[in-house]
Every structure is written in C-alpha cells, then in structure tokens.
Amino acid sequence: MSSHQITFAYWVPNVSGGLVVSKVKQRTDWSYEYNVRLAQAAEKSGFEYALTQIRFTAGYGADNQHESVSFSHGILAKTEKLKVIAAILPGPWKPALAAKQLATIDHLTNGRIAINVVSGWFRGEFDAIGETWPEHDERYARSEEFIRSLKGVWTQDNFTFDGKYYQFKDYTLRPKPVQKPHIEIFQGGSSRAARDMASRVSDWYFTNGNTPTEIKKQIDDIREKAKANHHHVKIGVNAFIIARDTEEEAKAVLQDIIDHADKDAVNAFHGATREAGAASNEGEGNWAKSTFEDLVQYNDGFRTNLIGTPQQIAERILELKNVGVDLILSGFLHFIEEVEYFGEKVLPLVRQLEEEQKQILQDKSA
Ligand SMILES: Cc1cc2nc3c(=O)[nH]c(=O)nc-3n(C[C@H](O)[C@H](O)[C@H](O)COP(=O)(O)O)c2cc1C
C-alpha cells in the first residue's frame, strides 16, 4: 500500500472525434479555444497533467489533428500550474531538434513541458510521410537511443553519443532545460520491448486500460527489472471515465457509445493494431487481447472500468493505486463538464479514501 497521493492526467482532445471511435453525440471539441477552456477547468479541478497526442494521419476516423508540441505550448501559455506532456515520435522527430525545442518551451513555461515518447503503431502513417518502418523491437531500440540522447543533451556539456540511429559529437546545448535533472520523459506501449525500455530509461510508463490484476503483472515485471537497473519507473494507466450519479446512467452512456461505434473505423484500427502487434514477438503489446468493444476507445480505456458512481470509481482508483499505479490518464465523453464533475464529486472521495488508508497504516505501525 502506498501513502502518496495518486496523480490525475487527462488526454488533450487535439484530434477531432474525441477519445472514442463512435458517432455518438459529443460536446467535446478539438479546437484551440475549447482546449484552453478545458485546460483551465482541469487545473482548477485537480488535474496535474494533460497529454497531447501525435498522429500524422489517423488510423481511425478522425479527420483533423493538431501537432502535439506546438499545441502543448499553446495550452501551457494559457494555464498556470498544469504540466503538458507532448507526444513525440522518433522517426519524424530527431533528438537534436526535440532537445532544443523542448528546452526552449521549458523556459517559456517555467518548467511545465514533459514528453511522451511513442514508438509508432500505424504503418500507413509512416508510409504516407516517407518514414521507414523498422520492425517492432527495432522501433523501441531507436526510441531508447532517442531517450538516451535527450537525457545526454539535457544534462551534460560536450555530449558524445555513437548510437546505431543517432550520433552526437562534443555537443553542448545552451540553455539547458529549467527542470532538473531534465524534462520528464513518459513513454507509451505495453509489449515486452516497451516494458524493457521503461525499466532502463523512462521516468514514466504509460499503458493501455486494463484490470488491476493485469496491470499488476506489468508493474511487477517492470519494477523488478528496473530495480536490477537501479532505475525507478512511475506507472500511468489509461481509463475512459464515465461518472454519473447512478450506475445505470453511467452504463447507459457506455452502451450508447458502443451502439454508435464507427464500425468501419474500428475494424480498420483493429487491422492496423494487428499489424503493429504482430511484430512484437511475444504478442503482449497494446491491443493484443482487445475486443471490438474495447477498441471503440482506442487505448482500451473501458477495460479499466472507471464507469459508475463517484463512490464506485473512487474505490476502483484506490485498487489501482494499491497495485502500484501512480497516475490515472483519463478520457471523457463531454470533456469540460465531466472534468469538472470529476473534480467536484470523485476526486474528494479518492483523497478521503487515501487519507483513511494512510490512517490505517499509521495505526498498524504505531
Ligand atoms: C497512453 C498512451 C499514449 C499514446 N500516445 C500515442 C500517440 O500520441 N501517438 C502514437 O502514434 N502512438 C501513441 N501511443 C502508442 C504507443 O507508443 C505504441 O506504439 C503502442 O502502444 C503499441 O505499443 P506496443 O505494441 O509496443 O505495446 C500511445 C500509447 C499509450 C499507452
């Protein structure tokens, strides 16, 4: 049982269609104006992080998507406390430019930028923009070099690195980022290669939604390896949250989202994930076991089952925390109003349960 408070993040809807592959009516909007209002509501409601997504072309339904780093900076400019995690894709991004660009944003925002290094799952996107498509584990080998390069450039003078993908020679970046030791580095992906990379170099491991039992297996695996590497990794889990005054209402919203699924888009996405996952030898990658219904939320967010009343959701969040989860990455149907509802109704219950648990621990050790 852990005594620190669990952290909350939300997905920035910088893509049209929100966080579900469904034609259900949504009051979420991908515009800058909506996202600024959302970010301001989220920081007031107790969210510490927001995560922007990167897609050069969408594999499922969405017509429009804003670029992640510039969009993150736009949100940071209009907020005060929120940290925004920008997704970065090695391949299109090179570490020298990423390191320089992010160090500047870190200065402009007083140390509130972070990054999510994603290794790519959609081959069509890479083909469309003329990027090569290394095999699954090679993509992670490249991402690991990418992260080692960023860390080196951000923390050392006269940085030299002779990798398979990236090289630096006696390079000194000025100014270094504001954050010390460096800008926080998240990563996305659940396969063997993703977990091994996390256990070596990432500050945070983001994984798709799942049950506490399945999440625990991943966490135990990563933490054991990380320990052997003298490295500590924090864990973030995706969840599509549907909090309503009654369980029936919440379940009805889920059913409505699934009933309106964009079937062609979900099936196309399924095909693309098979291609991405097939390349991970052990078959444990994200989406390896996803059903059609799971894929209506593109990071398996229904599986985490934060769907019900505030009390039910708060209790399930505590269960996740107790298997070692540090952060809940949340998606919502109608973002602004649901982020506010979450801050008002769910978060205080989570804090209360955490407090009660802490008390029990203290009493036991007294
Ligand atoms: C929380 C989270 C966020 C992600 N964000 C993006 C993204 O913005 N763009 C992208 O191309 N892939 C994104 N991914 C996909 C991963 O980087 C990775 O390619 C995918 O999960 C498949 O990995 P695996 O087969 O190694 O498990 C994300 C994954 C997770 C878990």
Side-chain angles (χ1 to χ4, degrees):
M1 272 198 261
S2 143
S3 57
H4 65 270
Q5 292 194 328
I6 195 159
T7 301
F8 292 95
Y10 74 91
W11 286 88
V12 173
N14 58 323
V15 295
S16 57
L19 268 290
V20 287
V21 191
S22 171
K23 293 176 178 158
V24 69
K25 282 222 174 343
Q26 297 185 51
R27 290 185 284 281
T28 293
D29 184 52
W30 58 283
S31 68
Y32 181 50
E33 185 273 332
Y34 181 90
N35 269 288
V36 167
R37 281 197 290 124
L38 169 59
Q40 292 170 346
E43 67 178 3
K44 266 200 205 117
S45 300
F47 286 79
E48 284 178 46
Y49 291 92
L51 170 70
T52 55
Q53 312 162 51
I54 183 63
R55 298 174 191 163
F56 283 85
T57 66
Y60 38 91
D63 296 322
N64 291 288
Q65 47 261 313
H66 284 301
E67 188 276 321
S68 48
V69 175
S70 44
F71 206 74
S72 298
H73 186 214
I75 292 173
L76 286 164
K78 302 279 186 183
T79 48
E80 286 167 9
K81 294 186 291 189
L82 195 68
K83 279 190 94 166
V84 184
I85 313 159
I88 302 246
L89 198 50
W93 265 277
K94 305 289 178 273
L97 179 58
K100 184 96 187 134
Q101 179 183 36
L102 291 154
T104 294
I105 297 177
D106 209 38
H107 280 263
L108 298 177
T109 61
N110 199 18
R112 291 191 292 126
I113 188 80
I115 59 164
N116 184 27
V117 175
V118 297
S119 295
W121 57 269
F122 182 38
R123 184 183 183 144
E125 170 181 67
F126 276 58
D127 290 346
I129 60 171
E131 284 289 338
T132 55
W133 178 247
E135 286 308 305
H136 182 272
D137 289 7
E138 277 295 302
R139 298 201 292 277
Y140 280 95
R142 178 169 69 180
S143 293
E144 185 163 337
E145 281 195 11
F146 191 93
I147 294 174
R148 289 185 188 278
S149 300
L150 288 182
K151 285 187 176 180
V153 172
W154 282 336
T155 59
Q156 297 172 31
D157 285 345
N158 308 105
F159 177 62
T160 295
F161 184 80
D162 189 18
K164 178 172 171 196
Y165 297 97
Y166 307 114
Q167 295 79 35
F168 287 83
K169 210 163 124 192
D170 208 15
Y171 175 59
T172 299
L173 172 81
R174 292 278 160 79
K176 297 273 192 284
V178 173
Q179 290 175 71
K180 299 293 175 229
H182 54 72
I183 291 170
E184 276 188 296
I185 301 173
F186 292 68
Q187 67 154 81
S190 306
S191 54
R192 169 85 280 135
R195 277 180 263 160
D196 288 352
M197 180 171 91
S199 76
R200 288 192 287 263
V201 291
S202 306
D203 299 320
W204 286 87
Y205 170 85
F206 265 144
T207 188
N208 274 8
N210 220 324
T211 59
T213 313
E214 290 302 314
I215 300 279
K216 183 175 186 307
K217 285 187 203 159
Q218 292 182 41
I219 297 178
D220 291 349
D221 176 48
I222 292 172
R223 293 235 160 104
E224 197 184 309
K225 286 206 172 127
K227 203 168 161 194
N229 298 330
H230 307 288
H231 182 65
H232 180 70
V233 195
K234 287 180 272 185
I235 311 287
V237 173
N238 178 49
F240 192 85
I241 300 181
I242 308 176
R244 296 292 184 276
D245 292 345
T246 65
E247 188 179 5
E248 292 68 39
E249 266 178 278
K251 285 193 165 154
V253 173
L254 173 64
Q255 199 52 51
D256 203 26
I257 296 171
I258 290 169
D259 289 347
H260 288 88
D262 180 344
K263 290 199 180 63
D264 291 346
V266 174
N267 287 328
F269 176 45
H270 193 216
T273 62
R274 292 297 95 176
E275 141 82 37
S280 95
N281 300 326
E282 82 299 334
E284 287 177 11
N286 276 346
W287 311 296
K289 298 181 182 114
S290 310
T291 63
F292 177 91
E293 293 192 356
D294 291 329
L295 293 172
V296 177
Q297 200 298 303
Y298 45 78
N299 283 97
D300 282 351
F302 303 145
R303 277 196 175 206
T304 317
N305 194 24
L306 299 188
I307 297 168
T309 63
Q311 184 67 31
Q312 288 173 318
I313 293 175
E315 284 169 11
R316 289 175 199 157
I317 289 173
L318 258 281
E319 260 183 79
L320 289 164
K321 183 181 173 188
N322 289 336
V323 298
V325 172
D326 300 285
L327 177 150
I328 304 288
L329 172 63
S330 51
F332 299 92
L333 184 60
H334 307 299
F335 261 88
I336 294 182
E337 58 212 66
E338 298 200 34
V339 151
E340 285 171 340
Y341 182 93
F342 186 86
E344 210 179 298
K345 300 274 171 73
V346 184
L347 218 148
L349 291 177
V350 174
R351 298 300 179 227
Q352 189 186 322
L353 291 176
E354 285 178 319
E355 212 32 61
E356 285 169 14
Q357 190 166 287
K358 201 167 131 196
Q359 207 53 54
I360 293 170
L361 279 178
Q362 278 169 359
D363 291 350
K364 268 196 190 149
S365 63

